[in-house]
Amino acid sequence: MSSDFEAYEQDFGTLTAEITNKIGRIPKLGGEEKTQLVLNVDKQLEEVRELMEQMDLEVRELPIQSRAMYQSRLKSYKGEMDKLEKDFKRSRIAYSDEVRNELLGEDAGSSESQLIKLREERAHLLDNTEKLERSSRRLDAGYQIAVETEQVGQEILANLHTDREKIQRSRDRLRETDANLGKSSRILTGMLRSWFINTLVLVITLTMTIANMVTTM
């Protein structure tokens, strides 16, 4: 189990290193090239999130005595992930001096306030977008939990139904056994009665025979 976690750690290190490098390049780009790199980083960040979910599941399945160490490591990775997302957010609204001058041309000085305002608006928009994405992920996770809970409930109901049928069959067998025992008891009682009567008749017959012989003598 811990080997799986360590494999995820290696993937995490590789991905975050690539993302860090790309985040550093984003402010130096403009236009379509920047857009494509931003989309690429966003996709890789999603892969990291999925990877951390897998790591979290692995930690939950570990024995209690070794779980604390891995939880501490996972917490550290979550901190790295938060920093990456903040750096990514800043990089999307940042421009290097070269790119800024290229975008603004000769009016760079007079348009500085407009650029600041634009950055603020984009930052606000990105905040709202990230909030929507987080809410969407939470809804997806909640839906998944609901589906899993429903499946567990259905399995429990199926098991209860099976147990009920087993109990019912056991009761039927007990009733059948009880009926057979009653029938056997009646048969045995009848046999004992017949034996007693036959024995009594035999004794009476022998007694009468002996009495006749004695009288004759």
Side-chain angles (χ1 to χ4, degrees):
M1 188 70 68
S2 60
S3 61
D4 292 336
F5 185 89
E6 289 164 358
Y8 291 139
E9 282 182 312
Q10 292 179 358
D11 293 339
F12 178 87
T14 302
L15 273 173
T16 52
E18 291 179 5
I19 292 171
T20 300
N21 178 266
K22 291 176 181 178
I23 287 175
R25 291 166 48 202
I26 289 174
K28 301 175 184 178
L29 302 175
E32 183 63 23
E33 191 175 4
K34 179 173 182 176
T35 300
Q36 290 301 320
L37 189 57
V38 166
L39 292 174
N40 181 264
V41 171
D42 192 50
K43 181 179 179 181
Q44 285 189 309
L45 283 172
E46 186 60 34
E47 291 177 9
V48 175
R49 293 185 194 100
E50 293 175 359
L51 192 61
M52 292 188 66
E53 289 177 2
Q54 291 297 324
M55 294 168 72
D56 187 52
L57 290 174
E58 292 293 331
V59 170
R60 292 183 185 183
E61 295 180 3
L62 287 172
I64 296 176
Q65 58 270 23
S66 58
R67 191 179 300 169
M69 177 181 67
Y70 288 94
Q71 284 177 332
S72 177
R73 286 156 67 173
L74 181 60
K75 183 178 179 180
S76 174
Y77 298 141
K78 288 180 178 179
E80 289 184 38
M81 181 64 183
D82 290 341
K83 183 178 182 303
L84 273 179
E85 289 183 329
K86 290 177 181 178
D87 291 343
F88 179 49
K89 173 183 168 182
R90 284 193 292 267
S91 72
R92 286 187 292 181
I93 60 176
Y95 292 94
S96 66
D97 291 340
E98 180 181 351
V99 174
R100 184 185 63 187
N101 292 335
E102 181 181 343
L103 291 173
L104 297 178
E106 297 178 354
D107 297 330
S110 62
S111 301
E112 184 68 27
S113 61
Q114 295 180 3
L115 180 58
I116 293 173
K117 183 178 180 181
L118 177 61
R119 287 178 178 177
E120 292 175 350
E121 291 176 351
R122 292 188 65 186
H124 182 68
L125 178 61
L126 290 172
D127 280 339
N128 290 336
T129 302
E130 289 180 356
K131 288 178 182 179
L132 287 174
E133 290 175 352
R134 286 195 296 269
S135 298
S136 178
R137 288 196 292 271
R138 284 196 293 268
L139 286 174
D140 290 341
Y143 176 75
Q144 184 63 32
I145 292 172
V147 170
E148 292 174 357
T149 302
E150 182 181 3
Q151 290 174 347
V152 171
Q154 289 176 349
E155 291 176 0
I156 292 173
L157 288 175
N159 291 336
L160 288 174
H161 181 70
T162 301
D163 292 341
R164 180 182 178 184
E165 289 181 344
K166 289 179 180 178
I167 292 172
Q168 188 61 44
R169 286 196 296 270
S170 297
R171 286 178 178 175
D172 293 339
R173 283 196 294 270
L174 284 173
R175 291 193 187 98
E176 184 179 351
T177 301
D178 186 59
N180 291 335
L181 286 173
K183 183 177 180 180
S184 298
S185 177
R186 289 192 297 272
I187 293 173
L188 183 58
T189 301
M191 291 174 64
L192 288 172
R193 186 181 295 110
S194 297
W195 175 83
F196 179 76
I197 293 172
N198 291 335
T199 302
L200 182 60
V201 170
L202 180 60
V203 169
I204 293 172
T205 302
L206 288 174
T207 301
M208 291 178 63
T209 301
I210 292 172
N212 289 334
M213 289 177 64
V214 171
T215 302
T216 302
M217 293 176 61

